[in-house]
Amino acid sequence: MKISVLGVRGSVPVDGEGFIKYGGATACCLVEAAGQVIYLDAGSGLLRSPDIDNEQVSVLLSHTHIDHILGLPLSRLLLSKRRIDIYAKSRDGLNVKEQLKCLMSPPLWPVGVETYPADIVFHDVDTAFDLGDVHVDMMEADHPGGSTIFRLEHKGRSLVYATDHEHGGDKQKELAVFAKDTDLLLYDAQYTQDEYERMKGFGHSTVSEGMKLFDKCGAKRILFVHHDPRHDDIKLAEMEAQIKNEHAAFARAGMIVEL
Ligand SMILES: [Zn+2]
Ligand SMILES: [Zn+2]
């Protein structure tokens, strides 16, 4: 299983000199395993995707908050003639196609989802499914409007993608079981502890809660994602330096992890 981190910024993309080390593009990871090409979220990081030869790719959306779909309208994937299977959960009474239409239709965007050259197939999912030999499991996160945490498994290797999730509720215990013994845990750490006190209920977590979860679930490695757009490279490096564990770090755009 190969994971390419393409974007780890949360909420909105940022750019400029202060955002080079960790990257300013929003949520997107590319997972390649067993011949499958699977994108986890489609934020503006999707625009950094390497060229893909596969005639079919899958996109798993945690939810359709704008930072997780911002890369779709101009993605080369949609502008090519391949088949794209998009998986997400129905939310607010809207299926995944209807959710994406909110962004990809006039007046917000001139091109509708049906107009792209790609053959886009939408899947409304709320339970485990398989992509070839890759098994995908899902659980609901604690996040305003909802968000999906995914677990991908292939040949005894696994990763858990837990972004847009707030600790503190029953879901945290469930997540410790869901992420048990995973090889790689990607976890939302948007806020510092001080910020979290002011941002309770916004649906994001912290490094210290991530480390507690990491110890509890027995994951082999944790990478923190969904960096706050107000945290520049200096701030993020300060936060990262406080982690005293060689198996824990902040994710950076451009990072590649082989499991
Ligand atoms: Zn987000
Ligand atoms: Zn969100």
Side-chain angles (χ1 to χ4, degrees), residues 11 21 24 40 52 58 61 66 70 80 92 111 138 150 155 171-173 175 185 197 212 214 217 227 231 237 239:
S11 307
K21 185 175 168 190
L40 294 171
I52 296 295
S58 302
L61 299 175
I66 196 160
L70 205 49
S80 65
D92 290 323
V111 185
M138 51 197 283
F150 291 107
K155 282 196 172 167
K171 290 274 175 12
Q172 200 69 357
K173 283 182 203 152
L175 179 52
L185 173 60
E197 298 305 321
K212 282 184 208 164
F214 179 63
C217 75
H227 305 320
H231 293 166
M239 290 167 71

Side-chain angles (χ1 to χ4, degrees), residues 9-12 26-27 41 62-63 65-68 143 163-164 188 190 204 226:
R9 192 62 55 171
S11 307
V12 289
T26 63
D41 278 334
S62 60
H63 60 319
H65 281 169
I66 196 160
D67 46 327
H68 299 258
H143 191 64
T163 188
D164 293 63
D188 183 322
Q190 176 151 354
H204 299 288
H226 213 270

Side-chain angles (χ1 to χ4, degrees), residues 3 13 15 44 55 65 78 87 89 92 105 166 169 200 204 211 219 238 255-256:
I3 298 105
D15 72 350
S44 63
E55 288 183 3
H65 281 169
L78 271 65
Y87 296 81
K89 196 169 174 179
D92 290 323
S105 63
E166 180 166 350
K200 274 184 188 164
H204 299 288
M211 290 309 294
E238 268 174 31
M255 203 177 222
I256 292 176

Side-chain angles (χ1 to χ4, degrees), residues 13 26 31 34 38 41 47 54 58-59 62 76 81 100 111 135 144 160 166 169 192 205 213 215 217 241 250 252:
T26 63
V31 180
I38 304 163
D41 278 334
L47 302 177
N54 284 37
S58 302
V59 179
S62 60
R76 277 173 293 165
K81 279 198 172 292
L100 292 176
V111 185
H135 183 66
V160 171
E166 180 166 350
T192 64
S205 193
L213 175 69
D215 289 339
C217 75
F250 276 26
R252 302 170 192 193

Side-chain angles (χ1 to χ4, degrees), residues 42 46-47 69-86 97 100-122:
L46 180 63
L47 302 177
I69 60 169
L70 205 49
L72 280 174
L74 269 177
S75 167
R76 277 173 293 165
L77 295 175
L78 271 65
L79 297 168
S80 65
K81 279 198 172 292
R82 58 169 62 90
R83 171 171 163 148
I84 302 174
D85 291 89
I86 301 182
K97 184 178 182 181
L100 292 176
K101 267 184 160 177
C102 295
L103 172 68
M104 293 160 75
S105 63
L108 268 72
W109 190 251
V111 185
V113 277
E114 292 97 348
T115 320
Y116 285 87
D119 175 19
I120 309 173
V121 182
F122 298 95

Side-chain angles (χ1 to χ4, degrees), residues 104-249:
M104 293 160 75
S105 63
L108 268 72
W109 190 251
V111 185
V113 277
E114 292 97 348
T115 320
Y116 285 87
D119 175 19
I120 309 173
V121 182
F122 298 95
H123 305 264
D124 296 282
V125 284
D126 62 1
T127 184
F129 57 98
D130 290 314
L131 298 173
D133 289 335
V134 179
H135 183 66
V136 182
D137 207 348
M138 51 197 283
M139 71 162 269
E140 188 69 358
D142 220 332
H143 191 64
S147 179
T148 303
I149 297 170
F150 291 107
R151 180 173 178 130
L152 272 56
E153 299 220 36
H154 173 62
K155 282 196 172 167
R157 299 283 174 179
S158 69
L159 76 87
V160 171
Y161 180 66
T163 188
D164 293 63
H165 167 70
E166 180 166 350
H167 59 276
D170 293 342
K171 290 274 175 12
Q172 200 69 357
K173 283 182 203 152
E174 195 186 327
L175 179 52
V177 175
F178 186 79
K180 191 165 173 30
D181 297 334
T182 190
D183 295 284
L184 176 64
L185 173 60
L186 296 147
Y187 185 81
D188 183 322
Q190 176 151 354
Y191 302 134
T192 64
Q193 201 56 45
D194 285 351
E195 287 166 346
Y196 178 71
E197 298 305 321
R198 298 192 301 273
M199 308 298 263
K200 274 184 188 164
F202 279 63
H204 299 288
S205 193
T206 63
V207 170
S208 61
E209 292 297 329
M211 290 309 294
K212 282 184 208 164
L213 175 69
F214 179 63
D215 289 339
K216 206 168 177 186
C217 75
K220 295 180 185 63
R221 185 172 177 184
I222 184 167
L223 286 175
F224 292 103
V225 297
H226 213 270
H227 305 320
D228 193 286
R230 290 158 292 200
H231 293 166
D232 63 8
D233 287 341
I234 294 169
K235 178 71 183 174
L236 289 174
E238 268 174 31
M239 290 167 71
E240 189 175 19
Q242 289 168 16
I243 305 172
K244 306 294 181 203
N245 186 315
E246 58 178 325
H247 304 295

